[in-house]
Amino acid sequence: MIPSHRQGETDARSTANAPVRKGRDFVARHGETVFNAAHRLQGTAAHTPLTRAGFAQADELGRALRGSLGVKPALTLWASPTGRALQTLAVICEHLDLDWHDARTDSRLVEIDMGSWGGRYYADVVDLVGPVMLPGGLLKTAPDGETYPEIAARVGGWLADTADDPGDRLVIMHGISSRVMLGVMTGAMVDPLLGAPIAPGLPQGSVTLVAGGRATVPHLGTGFAPA
């Protein structure tokens, strides 16, 4: 398992005003994985490989980015250290003619830690505790898992530590953690039930462009939506 940098029940309001970078951020979800296809909870699983559909989604994302950014764009590359994020980035780098080995990773970009539910089939967890999917495609937190304020604290810490990154950057991460990070980046309202700012859900293979604290969606993927 990859550490999730849990930091206690931090109030997400303290991270909601992330520093606005001068460059643009392209924040993307990885492609579909074997866990997604089998309806298993991935959480912080280190390596759940992409399916053929997942590679196709990464291809579409790479083509879309090449169409808007051109070849060899000046991008700082960041990714979650999970295999599915790095596989997605590898395909994108081929389209952009960039060196995958230049990418930086940070464990604060990983997915929500589902605790003892991680890796289990959704159906099995539902049989034990009832529904785990919340309205809007978010996940209920496991009793020993990570809370949404904790996700906001860790991604907010990464944003603060990298606020001086020059120019544009591409960040490959995950469904729920990216929604929280985009919520922090855009100053979204704090969800009154979950205690963190959360952006709308997007399918796998999607990319959100954040510039000056405002978000647009230049490419909508074809994977599961929104979780």
Side-chain angles (χ1 to χ4, degrees):
M1 302 292 281
I2 295 175
S4 61
H5 284 255
R6 295 172 62 183
Q7 299 180 28
E9 292 290 341
T10 304
D11 185 352
R13 292 169 182 80
S14 66
T15 63
N17 296 315
V20 177
R21 290 197 326 109
K22 294 180 180 179
R24 298 177 298 172
D25 286 295
F26 295 85
V27 181
R29 286 189 68 179
H30 63 76
E32 181 192 82
T33 73
V34 294
F35 267 42
N36 297 139
H39 303 291
R40 295 176 67 175
L41 288 154
Q42 281 181 120
T44 54
H47 185 48
T48 54
L50 298 184
T51 61
R52 287 186 295 173
F55 279 111
Q57 291 154 14
D59 262 325
E60 293 169 2
L61 181 50
R63 283 192 292 269
L65 289 171
R66 181 177 177 129
S68 60
L69 299 174
V71 179
K72 291 187 180 296
L75 281 177
T76 300
L77 304 175
W78 280 97
S80 157
T82 57
R84 55 198 186 272
L86 292 170
Q87 281 184 311
T88 301
L89 179 60
V91 174
I92 294 170
C93 283
E94 287 190 51
H95 285 278
L96 299 179
D97 198 14
L98 295 177
D99 189 348
W100 177 88
H101 297 90
D102 290 336
R104 308 176 192 180
T105 63
D106 195 299
S107 60
R108 289 174 291 184
L109 299 175
V110 299
E111 184 56 297
I112 182 174
D113 184 346
M114 294 306 296
S116 58
W117 295 355
R120 302 182 68 178
Y121 289 98
Y122 278 84
D124 290 344
V125 178
V126 170
D127 285 344
L128 288 175
V129 302
V132 295
M133 189 70 72
L134 300 174
L138 297 168
L139 290 173
K140 182 185 295 184
T141 55
D144 58 347
E146 187 176 28
T147 67
Y148 285 83
E150 288 171 341
I151 300 172
R154 65 170 162 90
V155 297
W158 179 80
L159 289 168
D161 289 347
T162 61
D164 293 331
D165 277 1
D168 296 342
R169 62 186 181 185
L170 173 64
V171 186
I172 311 297
M173 48 191 304
H174 307 269
I176 289 178
S177 59
S178 68
R179 290 181 65 177
V180 176
M181 191 168 86
L182 289 167
V184 172
M185 294 171 76
T186 58
M189 294 293 293
V190 172
D191 185 289
L193 296 178
L194 300 177
I198 300 171
L202 296 173
Q204 289 164 323
S206 298
V207 63
T208 300
L209 167 60
V210 180
R214 296 180 178 274
T216 58
V217 181
H219 175 71
L220 193 65
T222 58
F224 292 145

